[in-house]
């Protein structure tokens, strides 16, 4: 599996990956030091995510690029 250094994640705050056939988004919010991983498939369709640049309750706010 591919992993990114924390410097990359602190700057970009998000990574879209595939583990086998499973699409996954990994996030890092340097403001609060939190990280999450999400299953980002929708009925077999891969969803890619981005960072909106806004915060929700002091945490990174994501969007999906397809909708």
């Amino acid at each position: 599996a591919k992993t990114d250094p924390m410097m990359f994640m602190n700057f970009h705050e998000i990574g879209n990956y595939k583990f086998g056939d499973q699409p996954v988004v990994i996030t890092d919010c340097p403001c609060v030091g939190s990280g999450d991983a999400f299953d980002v498939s929708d009925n077999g369709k891969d969803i890619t995510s981005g960072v909106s640049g806004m915060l929700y309750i002091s945490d990174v706010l994501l969007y999906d690029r397809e909708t």
Side-chain angles (χ1 to χ4, degrees):
K2 177 183 172 186
T3 59
D4 291 311
M6 284 308 295
M7 186 184 334
F8 175 87
M9 290 301 289
N10 281 336
F11 183 76
H12 293 284
E13 298 180 349
I14 194 166
N16 290 282
Y17 301 101
K18 268 199 154 176
F19 293 98
D21 291 334
Q22 181 64 50
V24 175
V25 166
I26 298 175
T27 67
D28 171 60
C29 184
C31 294
V32 296
S34 67
D36 280 306
F38 301 95
D39 169 357
V40 287
S41 60
D42 181 26
N43 294 323
K45 182 176 137 187
D46 294 359
I47 304 294
T48 54
S49 298
V51 177
S52 69
M54 296 182 275
L55 297 175
Y56 177 73
I57 311 176
S58 300
D59 210 349
V60 65
L61 185 61
L62 308 176
Y63 67 92
D64 72 84
R65 295 186 173 140
E66 284 69 29
T67 63

